[in-house]
Structures are given as structure tokens and as C-alpha cells.
Amino acid sequence: MELSKCPALILLLLNLYSFGFGSLSESVTGGFLRRAKESEFVDWMVGIRRRIHENPELGYEEFETSKLIRKELDSLGIRYEHPVAVTGVVGYVGTGEAPFVALRADMDALPMQENVEWEHKSKVPGKMHACGHDGHVTMLLGAAKILQEHRDELKGTVVLLFQPAEEGGGGAEKMIEAGAVKNVDVIFGCHLATDIPLGVVSSRPGPIMAGSGFFEAVISGKGGHAAIPQHTIDPILAASNVIVSLQHLVSREADPLDSQVVTVAKFQGGGAFNVIPDSITIGGTFRAFSKESFSQLKQRIKEVIVSQASVQRCTATVDFLNGKYPFFPVTTNSENLHNYFQKVAVDMLGTENVRLRLPMMGSEDFSFFTEAVPEACYYFVGMNDESKGKLYPGHSPYFTINEEALPYGAALHASLAMNYLSELSGSPPKVGGASHDEL
């Protein structure tokens, strides 16, 4: 049969090779998912996730979480380094030699009170895993278990990054400074998503999550009695004008096609109905999808706050808090690695279950890895099942995880790593029985 007479076959071949990778082994992608869905495997993962959920720890305080991770790695015979960036753990599966593929999970919880009443509710008042990081750790441990069972087939080394302090603490940056990704060629990260159906994954090439920063400003005037405002310099009025003016930075100064956000979420000051205070504190966040826009927004926020306060005869100081809360860069997926992710995910889940993700104004400190590692890809694992009721979004006190999503993240993580190493070696993976050689 002549190829020129079969356009459908030509299109299929172009799709298989346009990403720069050869064919995948279904025995890897399908086999890994079947393994992750085995009842004893699922029970093991669910048990880990629930233990972490019951004992949430904030950024750089994940000592018990880290201990649990190390205990599981010990039981799997996986070598690791600890501590990295205070509480972080870096594990290694495979030959111990190049090439190196990294898989990342964040460990920290949020300072929130859990309002979900269930058997494994947080035991720590005021702390909760409200963003799915307990599930992320579990899925990476699941991937580690699968990869360790097939370590003889690995054509290099998979680096397991269990990272502290994603929620504003810049844990990824600390991991990088500690040398955790020094020799890493590619890195994958994922996040559980409540708005994507169970069994579906999504991502996109290029910018996928915004760069972000925080700001806080103290606007000072002259306090006094509310009945005689002419003897005061009112910082509340000045702060109100500042807030309105800040909104013009996006609506009047930014290109409508260049997504940006400025949100004032903090307004503090005053304590009586009839007293004008001496000062007011405001604060918020700003976000953009490029370094240039982010830098411009930062500059204009300071200019507007200081200048607008002066119009009202007040003074203002602005702090961007980047010593405590580092600026997050834009999370950017490399096009080549995203294309590779799509091919592996389609091979595992089918074309209809791999979707293009719209960019989000939320931020992720995985962005530090996208700047430090030559090739990076961040993707989302769906867990929405309408038959089981509503899922609340992350950072809600009612947030829950559909634990049926855990096998998908574990298997896809493992498949992405193993297939990539095999493609680099030019030898398709051949998955056999479990191996027992040490790394």
C-alpha cells in the first residue's frame, strides 16, 4: 500500500514522531496504571494520604511528614538524602547515573481550620491540608514504589523531590539552592484539580500559572476626633483613594491581552466609631504572565501608593515582603516536554482524557524549577466525580480529595519518568517482574 494513497496513515505517523520521541510502550503506561489500581496498592496509598491529612504541618515544619516519607522510602529500599531545605527529602531510583529525571511533590499544609467532619479530619487545630499536598506526596510515593519495582529497566536515575513550604515559603527555591536539581535534565510536577473530571489530565505549553508577589503599605496621617476632621489628616480617606487608583493599573495601563491582577485584600486600622486613626495598613497581591509586566506592575504599585497618599497630605511606605514571601516567577512549560507529556498521557488515558488547560492567575513555586531545569512540565490530575457530590476548590475549609485520583497521578508520574529515560537511551522500556537489586 502506497503512503501517498493513505492520508490517515500519514497523519498518524506524523503525530507519533512530531514530538521528537519514538513510540511508547503500552506495557509501561497501561501496566503502570493497572498496578496503581490494584486494591492493595490503592489501600497503601489511601492509608498514607490519610495519615498525612490527620497531621498537617506548615512550611518548613513538616518534620513528621518528612519522617513518614523516609519510613516509606526505607521500606521500599530507596536511597535518599535528608534534610534538604530544612525538612525536604530527595530520593533516587535507578542507576544513580545520568540522565536524571525529577518528579516533585509539595508537603506543606495551610493555616486553616478544617470544616469537613470525617473520620480522618485534621487533628491539629488551625491547620489543614486544604490544597491537596497530602495527595501529591502520596502520588509521588506511589510512583516511587512502581519505579522501584522496575528499577532494572530504568536507563538512568529518577530523582524524587519531596519539597517543603510551597505555600508562600519558596521551598522550591531553597531546594534548588541546596543542589537538589543540580544534574537534573527534566522535571515534572502535578496538582490535583477539583474542576477536571476523574481520569482526565490537563496541561498546556508555555505560561500556565502567573508570577506573583505581595505588598503591604502603611499610610500615615494625623489622627483626631471624627467630629472635627479639619484638625486631622485622614489616612482612611487616603487609603480608599489608593485602593481605587491601584485598580486602574490593570484596567487603564495594562494591555487587555496581557493578563494581570492587582488585589487589595487587607485593610486594617482604627478601632472606634468616632476616632480618625493615625495610620492605616493595606496589603494585597499582584500577578502577571511575563517578567516585564510583573516588574512594571511592581514599580507602578509603589508609585501609585506613595503619590496618591501624598495627594491626601499623607505619607506612605511600601514593603513587597519578598524577604519573607519571595516573588514567584511565571510557571512555564517547555513546548517539547509538554508535547511529550501529551503523548504519554494519551497512551495511558486516551485522547479524550487529555485536555488543554487554560492559563491560571494562581501561582506555584514549581515556577522556580521551570527556571532552574532545562526542561519542565507541570500538569493537573482531575478528581471530579459528580456522582459523589460537590468538590470545593483548594484553600477552602471544605476542601476534600477524591482518593480514586491517586492511582492516575502515581502511574502517570512513573510512566513519564521511565519512558523519558528510555527515549534518551534509544531503547524502548521492557517491563518485567519486580527487581531486587539495590541502587
Side-chain angles (χ1 to χ4, degrees):
M1 177 168 50
E2 293 182 17
L3 289 178
S4 61
K5 296 180 180 179
C6 189
L9 180 57
I10 294 174
L11 180 61
L12 175 62
L13 291 173
L14 287 173
N15 286 335
L16 285 173
Y17 291 99
S18 63
F19 300 148
F21 295 90
S23 61
L24 299 174
S25 169
E26 189 280 334
S27 65
V28 173
T29 55
F32 283 2
L33 184 56
R34 285 190 293 272
R35 173 67 173 126
K37 285 186 172 182
E38 291 176 6
S39 59
E40 56 87 15
F41 200 106
V42 171
D43 290 344
W44 172 73
M45 285 197 294
V46 167
I48 290 172
R49 182 258 157 171
R50 291 179 176 180
R51 293 202 302 275
I52 297 173
H53 189 86
E54 289 177 353
N55 299 282
E57 297 171 300
L58 303 182
Y60 300 117
E61 299 175 2
E62 309 96 332
F63 296 103
E64 291 302 314
T65 305
S66 177
K67 183 178 179 181
L68 181 152
I69 291 167
R70 286 178 280 124
K71 182 178 179 180
E72 294 298 333
L73 294 178
D74 284 334
S75 70
L76 294 171
I78 293 176
R79 180 173 68 87
Y80 58 83
E81 296 177 3
H82 169 81
V84 180
V86 186
T87 56
V89 181
V90 180
Y92 303 92
V93 184
T95 64
E97 300 177 351
F100 293 89
V101 173
L103 305 173
R104 174 269 203 169
D106 37 17
M107 307 188 297
D108 55 326
L110 286 159
M112 299 173 58
Q113 180 63 41
E114 182 170 8
N115 289 341
V116 182
E117 297 298 332
W118 67 306
E119 184 182 357
H120 300 282
K121 181 179 179 179
S122 169
K123 296 178 180 179
V124 185
K127 298 179 184 179
M128 176 192 177
H129 270 290
C131 199
H133 297 187
D134 49 344
H136 302 167
V137 170
T138 300
M139 292 188 295
L140 184 51
L141 284 171
K145 183 179 179 71
I146 294 171
L147 291 166
Q148 181 71 345
E149 289 174 350
H150 302 291
R151 59 192 178 276
D152 278 352
E153 287 80 37
L154 291 172
K155 309 298 183 182
T157 306
V158 181
V159 182
L160 312 168
L161 301 174
F162 296 93
Q163 177 213 308
E166 188 278 330
E167 297 288 357
E173 190 174 35
K174 297 295 185 185
M175 294 281 280
I176 293 165
E177 291 171 356
V181 294
K182 181 179 180 181
N183 297 312
V184 169
D185 302 285
V186 302
I187 185 169
F188 296 95
C190 73
H191 203 297
L192 289 165
T194 60
D195 60 340
I196 303 173
L198 179 67
V200 173
V201 296
S202 70
S203 188
R204 69 177 297 105
I208 186 170
M209 299 186 78
S212 71
F214 299 109
F215 65 92
E216 185 175 76
V218 177
I219 299 171
S220 301
K222 178 184 176 183
H225 200 293
I228 47 174
Q230 71 273 20
H231 293 161
T232 72
I233 300 175
D234 191 347
I236 292 180
L237 180 62
S240 300
N241 279 280
V242 164
I243 292 170
V244 172
S245 296
L246 286 174
Q247 299 312 303
H248 298 161
L249 295 182
V250 174
S251 66
R252 298 294 89 183
E253 296 186 18
D255 185 336
L257 300 179
D258 179 14
S259 298
Q260 300 178 27
V261 166
V262 177
T263 295
V264 176
K266 176 182 179 180
F267 193 115
Q268 294 178 339
F273 293 116
N274 61 346
V275 178
I276 293 172
D278 285 320
S279 65
I280 291 291
T281 300
I282 65 171
T285 183
F286 62 106
R287 293 152 193 261
F289 270 109
S290 72
K291 288 182 179 179
E292 295 75 20
S293 296
F294 186 83
S295 178
Q296 172 70 7
L297 208 50
K298 175 177 176 289
Q299 177 183 335
R300 290 292 291 134
I301 286 171
K302 183 174 182 178
E303 290 174 353
V304 165
I305 292 174
V306 172
S307 300
Q308 190 58 247
S310 70
V311 170
Q312 304 297 327
R313 300 181 298 150
C314 290
T315 60
T317 59
V318 182
D319 185 355
F320 288 97
L321 308 172
N322 53 320
K324 184 178 181 181
Y325 304 107
F327 295 146
F328 283 13
V330 180
T331 303
T332 305
N333 287 339
S334 76
E335 185 170 356
N336 286 338
L337 203 60
H338 171 263
N339 290 340
Y340 167 74
F341 156 79
Q342 278 193 310
K343 192 170 69 162
V344 174
V346 165
D347 194 64
M348 174 179 288
L349 304 172
T351 305
E352 69 281 5
N353 293 319
V354 181
R355 300 181 182 176
L356 192 66
R357 182 81 169 178
L358 292 174
M360 300 172 60
M361 294 309 298
S363 60
E364 237 286 356
D365 85 344
F366 186 81
S367 56
F368 290 106
F369 292 122
T370 69
E371 290 193 333
V373 178
E375 298 280 327
C377 181
Y378 190 77
Y379 64 95
F380 292 83
V381 178
M383 57 178 182
N384 185 38
D385 183 349
E386 294 182 359
S387 68
K388 294 190 174 184
K390 179 181 178 180
L391 287 176
Y392 287 83
H395 295 220
S396 163
Y398 297 98
F399 177 84
T400 56
I401 282 180
N402 180 354
E403 293 171 333
E404 292 182 22
L406 299 177
Y408 292 97
L412 187 51
H413 254 348
S415 295
L416 287 166
M418 186 166 190
N419 274 298
Y420 195 93
L421 292 175
S422 298
E423 295 289 355
L424 288 181
S425 73
S427 173
K430 297 179 180 179
V431 177
S435 169
H436 298 283
D437 293 337
E438 294 299 324
L439 178 66

